[in-house]
Every structure is written in structure tokens, then in C-alpha cells.
């Protein structure tokens, strides 16, 4: 699948494979999608647009068959001096992705190294092609991951594995990533399958109530920052607050009808309004 842009960017392509799904494709094929400042600026713009769009319910970020992203742009960084980095606030906006409220799926094929692996881990769900190659090779460049790699890896795959990956710089496969819980699903090897599967999941998510989806995302992410007790208290508060939404009423009424239809087995015509929940995001 080679998506055409819905608007014009230089280093990414944006499209809507489904009306409710924004697909962002990193597009610097000659540099294996190395994440230059210009690319990151465009990515942030596209994410911002998708997050505020009324039609979009979920976002997919992908790269090419060969590379999701081979890291931050080493060529851009190699001669950087402190004064320029400091005065331009170099790569300060990398974490913008983590403030997006709508769910983001990383559809990873090929290399996801360094900043590329960190970018995938900033997303909410990672779906990988069997060819995906993950890694934090920064140690080989005399440095360490700088955009959350040490922290997110340790939280997801545990201390010993994270240490091994960060300190040896060795890459790891899609199969390992799935076994360790970093990747939620591996697709078939067929070209484009990882994007197709990701868009399918994004579409499914986008059909649920937008407020509940955002709340679910916020709460799962909160689990990484709060104690269990604080997290459970926050979950209960947000759970309570969702009773004030129209979507909850819609969902509950359909659930009740389904339940009653089940109990009274086809006999209760009054509850036979067979329709799917129609969430409005309110
Ligand atoms: N940057 C710039 N160019 C890259 C690149 C990169 N990360 N990776 C590949 N390229 C370019 C290559 O230079 C080459 O360009 P030309 O020479 O043709 O002009 C082209 O892509 C194709 O690459 P190769 O010829 O090397 O292709 P191979 O198939 O032989 O090898 C490879 C593929 C992925 C194994 C290899 O390219 C490679 O090792 N690349 C570097 C991977 C790496 O070390 N990545 C980590 C970079 S450090 C932070 C945010 C983020 C970061 C830090 C801080 N803050 C917010 C504070 C992140 C740091 C990093 O990611």
C-alpha cells in the first residue's frame, strides 16, 4: 500500500485509508527514515491535525517495508555544537507524540533502531511484521538512548533484558519483541500486511466512544507513572465520570437490550431493536 498524502509534506505522507483512521507514513526512503528535525516537525504537525480532527478516531504510524525508522538522523547530529543545540532547543519536541490523546498504533516493518525503536515505544500499540528488527544501538555510537529507550524498555521487558539490549546494542527480532510483550501482534510477511492489520485495529477502536477510548488510553498510560492504589483510584474516578456521557447511555442501553433479548430469547419484541451502538463521542 503506497498512500497518497491528504496534504503536502516533504518527509511524511498522510492519508485516510478509512475515514476514521489517519495513516502517517515516514517517507525518507534513502535515509531509512532517519528521524531528522524536519521530519519530526512534520510528524508532530500531522499528529496534531489528526488529534483535533472530528472524523479521526485512531492513528497509525508506519515506515517502509525496509525501515520503520533507523534512528535519529546521525548525520544531522554528528557536528552539532552545544550552542546550536541549546539555542535551537534541538529535538526538544520529540515527546510531543506522548501528549496525543487518540490511540496511536506503530506498524513496524524492517529496522526500528535507536530513536526509531523509541518512537514505536511511545505509541500505544506496536504491531510488527516478521521482518521487524528492533534495537537501541546507541552504545555503539558512544552514547545511550535519549528519548525514553532505557525507561520504556525496562518497564516493558524487565531489567535484565533491557540492560542486555541497551548495554550490548544488539538488535532483537519481532518474535523476541512479541515474546517479551513489547509487540502485541506479528502479522504475515506479505508486503503491506502490517499496515492493513494496524488500520483494521485502528478502525475497530475508532468505532467505540471517543471519550471512553481516550480515557482508556490515559489510564493504561497512568499505570506506568502511578502507584497501584493511586492508579485504581484514578480509574474509578474516570469510570464514574463516564456515566455522564451520552455514549455510555447508548452503550448501556444496547447492552441491556442484548441481555434482555438473550434472557427472553427472541420472545420480547419490545427489545428487538437490533442495532449496533451508535457512539457520538459525547
Ligand atoms: N541517520 C542518518 N542516516 C542513516 C541512518 C541514521 N540513523 N541510518 C541509515 N542511514 C542512511 C545511511 O547513511 C545510508 O545513506 P547513504 O550513505 O546511502 O547516503 C542509507 O541510510 C542506507 O543505510 P546503509 O547503507 O547503512 O544500509 P544497510 O542496509 O547497510 O544498513 C542499518 C542498515 C540500519 C543497519 C544501518 O544503516 C545502521 O546501522 N544505521 C544506524 C542505526 C543507528 O545507529 N541508529 C541509532 C541512531 S542514534 C533524543 C531523541 C532521539 C535520540 C536521541 C535523543 N532526545 C529527544 C533527547 C535518538 C538517537 C538515535 O537514534
Amino acid at each position: 500500500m503506497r498512500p497518497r498524502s491528504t496534504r503536502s509534506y516533504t518527509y511524511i505522507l498522510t492519508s485516510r485509508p478509512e475515514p476514521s483512521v489517519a495513516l502517517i507514513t515516514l517517507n525518507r526512503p534513502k535515509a531509512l527514515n532517519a528521524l531528522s528535525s524536519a521530519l519530526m516537525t512534520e510528524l508532530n504537525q500531522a499528529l496534531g491535525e489528526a488529534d483535533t480532527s472530528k472524523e479521526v478516531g485512531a492513528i497509525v504510524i508506519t515506515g517502509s517495508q525496509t525501515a520503520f525508522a533507523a534512528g535519529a538522523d546521525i548525520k544531522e547530529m554528528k557536528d552539532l555544537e552545544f550552542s546550536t543545540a541549546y539555542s535551537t532547543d534541538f529535538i526538544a519536541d520529540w515527546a510531543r507524540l506522548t501528549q496525543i490523546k487518540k490511540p496511536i498504533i506503530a506498524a513496524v516493518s524492517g529496522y526500528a533502531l535507536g530513536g526509531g525503536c523509541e518512537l514505536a515505544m511511545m505509541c500505544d500499540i506496536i504491531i510488527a511484521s516478521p521482518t521487524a528488527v528492533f534495537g537501541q544501538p546507541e552504545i555503539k555510537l558512544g552514547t545511550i538512548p535519549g528519548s525514553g529507550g532505557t525507561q520504556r524498555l525496562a518497564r516493558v521487558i524487565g531489567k535484565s533484558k533491557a540492560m542486555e539490549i541497551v548495554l550490548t546494542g544488539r538488535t532483537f527480532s519481532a518474535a523476541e519483541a512479541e515474546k517479551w510483550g513489547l509487540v502485541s501482534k506479528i502479522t504475515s510477511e506479505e508486503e503491506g500486511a502490517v499496515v492493513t492489520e494496524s488500520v483494521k485495529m485502528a478502525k475497530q477502536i475508532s468505532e467505540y466512544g471517543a471519550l471512553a477510548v481516550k480515557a482508556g488510553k490515559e489510564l493504561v498510560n497512568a499505570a506506568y507513572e502511578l502507584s497501584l492504589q493511586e492508579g485504581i483510584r484514578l480509574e474509578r474516578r474516570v469510570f464514574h465520570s463516564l456515566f455522564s456521557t451520552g455514549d455510555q447511555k447508548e452503550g448501556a442501553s444496547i447492552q441491556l437490550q442484548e441481555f434482555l433479548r438473550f434472557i427472553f430469547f427472541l420472545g420480547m419484541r419490545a427489545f428487538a431493536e437490533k442495532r449496533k451502538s451508535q457512539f457520538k463521542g459525547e
Side-chain angles (χ1 to χ4, degrees), residues 28-36 40 66-67 69-77 90-95 111-119 122 133 135-141 143-148 171:
R28 288 187 73 201
K30 287 187 183 151
L32 301 181
N33 291 331
L35 302 165
S36 61
M40 290 306 289
T66 321
D73 193 319
I74 299 171
K75 291 171 189 165
E76 186 180 54
M77 288 190 295
F90 181 66
I91 53 180
D93 58 355
W94 263 64
Y111 296 113
L113 301 178
C117 187
E118 291 172 306
L119 183 71
M122 283 183 217
V133 177
Q136 299 288 164
E138 289 88 343
I139 200 78
K140 297 179 183 170
L141 301 170
T143 179
I144 62 167
S147 201
T171 57

Side-chain angles (χ1 to χ4, degrees), residues 189-203:
E189 215 166 313
E190 197 184 320
E191 189 167 351
V194 74
V195 175
T196 307
E197 284 284 323
S198 302
V199 168
K200 198 167 138 200
M201 189 184 285
K203 179 171 183 280

Side-chain angles (χ1 to χ4, degrees), residues 37 80-93:
S37 307
L80 198 66
E81 298 287 348
F82 167 76
S83 57
T84 317
Y86 189 71
S87 56
T88 60
D89 220 0
F90 181 66
I91 53 180
D93 58 355

